[in-house]
Amino acid sequence: MAIQSRLGRRRLLQIGIGAAIAGCSSIRQRSRQGFGSHSLSPSALATAGFNSLAQVASRKGFFYGAASDYAMLSSDAQFAARYVENCRILVPENGLKWRALRPSPTEFDFTKTDWLFDFAVKYSLQMRGHTLVWHLSLPRWFSETVNSRNAERHLVHHIESVAGRYAGKVHSWDVVNEAIEVPDGRPDGLRKSPWLEFLGEEYIDLSFRVAAQADPEALRVYNDYGLQYDTSSHAAKRHAALRLLERLQAKGTPIQAFGIQSHLRASETRFNAEKLRQFLRDIASMGLKILITELDVSDQGLPADIEQRDRLVADAYREYLDVVLDEPAVIAVLTWGLSDRYTWLSEFKPREDGLPVRPLPLDENLERKPAWWAIAQAFDNAPLR
Ligand code: 9MR
């Protein structure tokens, strides 16, 4: 079968997901029929021969992958099979955050992330690191322990230990995540995070410099959200982001890429392709690569009807990807999860009617949704890198 020929039957059997794969030709059959009934444009049929989103992306010279974690990949063989089939790059959704790795100020627990790195090697996946420096997901001991006298030592020690442990095995690190906040940050847009409070804006430069030393090979990314829409807050954030990049580059900070998280809302109409294109061009003209790091499409506020909902979610993926993939500096697309079975939106942005949310390419039964086809079609239409 096609999936097995791409991955090699032996590799699939290695983690016992061969059996899970065995049932999937019928799934694919149903998906293709379903595809017709969702009436996507006929050119999408051209992608029907592809078995995986990663495959379509790699034909155009960029990576596709999705956030996941030890909990699902180690325990849900059917999900793991779909994951390996579709993804070429793995980003731990939570596993590399401080709260997950740091039981105490002096200890690290790499058990689960080591497992993920081994999983990636076994299935020829690249790894992305998320994230070395963030104001959230800090361990409980952080607020009692870290202060302006010792913050630099803690920051440097953490980056050296984590990026150093996986040096040479990481495609890209989100070195600093979400350092901008508008309108509640400083006048220059910087978020009033503990790191800013303790170390001033230099914490960003320091983080990139230490990451560059600890793992010179990983692409160093600044990652943020709230950048894509034609709203005043997103415009202000785009502005602050560009100013930050300029300041970092002027100081010689070794930043190499910008991550646009891209948590979309299917109900959002304030989308201006030209303004987004201009933002992407502005980043690219600074010599930086761009990654779409956390793409998903919330169906909050959409009608209950599944067919209608799935169509609107698929349309949002397609509209967005058509614009961002036109920019040659975009080198990777990651969705924030692969299947509706596991999505942060169930908890963080539930629907008012209590129905399960449907924001990702596969549904909760791991079958392809119109979103899968829309993404495949956008990838297939993308210019070659
Ligand atoms: O999806 C993640 C969720 O499971 C965590 O509880 C949460 C806090 O650590 O973080 C979520 O992921 C966030 C990511 O790390 C940074 N950008 C926004 C993502 C969604 O909140």
Side-chain angles (χ1 to χ4, degrees), residues 226-385:
L227 296 155
Q228 66 275 4
Y229 289 127
D230 189 15
T231 63
S232 55
S233 67
H234 282 216
K237 199 136 178 187
R238 288 194 291 273
H239 180 79
L242 292 171
R243 298 296 81 79
L244 173 62
L245 295 177
E246 280 165 10
R247 287 205 302 277
L248 293 176
Q249 287 199 323
K251 285 188 271 181
T253 303
I255 179 175
Q256 297 166 309
F258 190 88
I260 303 179
Q261 292 185 10
S262 313
H263 293 291
L264 309 183
R265 297 182 291 268
S267 61
E268 182 56 75
T269 54
R270 292 166 293 177
F271 181 71
N272 182 316
E274 194 36 51
K275 288 188 184 168
L276 182 58
R277 281 179 203 283
Q278 187 56 52
F279 180 57
L280 299 167
R281 277 196 297 267
D282 288 343
I283 297 170
S285 70
M286 301 170 96
L288 300 172
K289 297 293 183 200
I290 300 169
L291 293 86
I292 304 302
T293 49
E294 304 183 15
L295 178 61
D296 55 14
V297 180
S298 168
D299 65 0
Q300 210 182 38
L302 296 189
D305 178 72
I306 286 186
E307 205 163 321
Q308 228 182 322
R309 228 188 318 157
D310 283 358
R311 159 121 323 284
L312 292 164
V313 166
D315 288 349
Y317 272 111
R318 184 68 207 269
E319 180 179 47
Y320 189 71
L321 286 171
D322 278 348
V323 173
V324 295
L325 289 172
D326 257 353
E327 169 52 60
V330 174
I331 58 163
V333 174
L334 289 110
T335 48
W336 206 239
L338 177 66
S339 153
D340 296 339
R341 191 179 283 188
Y342 305 113
T343 164
W344 72 291
L345 292 166
S346 305
E347 187 190 334
F348 287 78
K349 292 189 187 174
R351 289 176 56 85
E352 277 166 14
D353 56 15
L355 290 172
V357 296
R358 300 177 62 84
L360 290 168
L362 303 182
D363 71 11
E364 62 189 3
N365 298 317
L366 308 175
E367 297 201 32
R368 293 172 185 176
K369 292 162 55 191
W372 191 99
W373 294 99
I375 296 169
Q377 197 180 9
F379 285 2
D380 197 33
N381 282 358
L384 189 64
R385 266 83 188 131

Side-chain angles (χ1 to χ4, degrees), residues 132 152 156-157 159-168 173 175 205-220 253-256:
L132 293 169
E152 180 168 337
V156 171
H157 178 54
I159 297 174
E160 283 177 345
S161 304
V162 180
R165 181 179 188 84
Y166 298 117
W173 262 113
V175 177
D205 309 82
L206 177 67
S207 302
F208 277 94
R209 286 200 307 272
V210 177
Q213 270 181 354
D215 183 358
E217 285 175 41
L219 195 72
R220 291 174 294 278
T253 303
I255 179 175
Q256 297 166 309

Side-chain angles (χ1 to χ4, degrees), residues 93-94 97 130 134 137 177-178 223 225 261 263 294 336 344 347-348:
E93 181 168 351
N94 292 305
K97 293 173 182 174
H130 174 82
W134 193 24
S137 279
N177 192 42
E178 303 176 1
N223 191 47
Y225 66 91
Q261 292 185 10
H263 293 291
E294 304 183 15
W336 206 239
W344 72 291
E347 187 190 334
F348 287 78

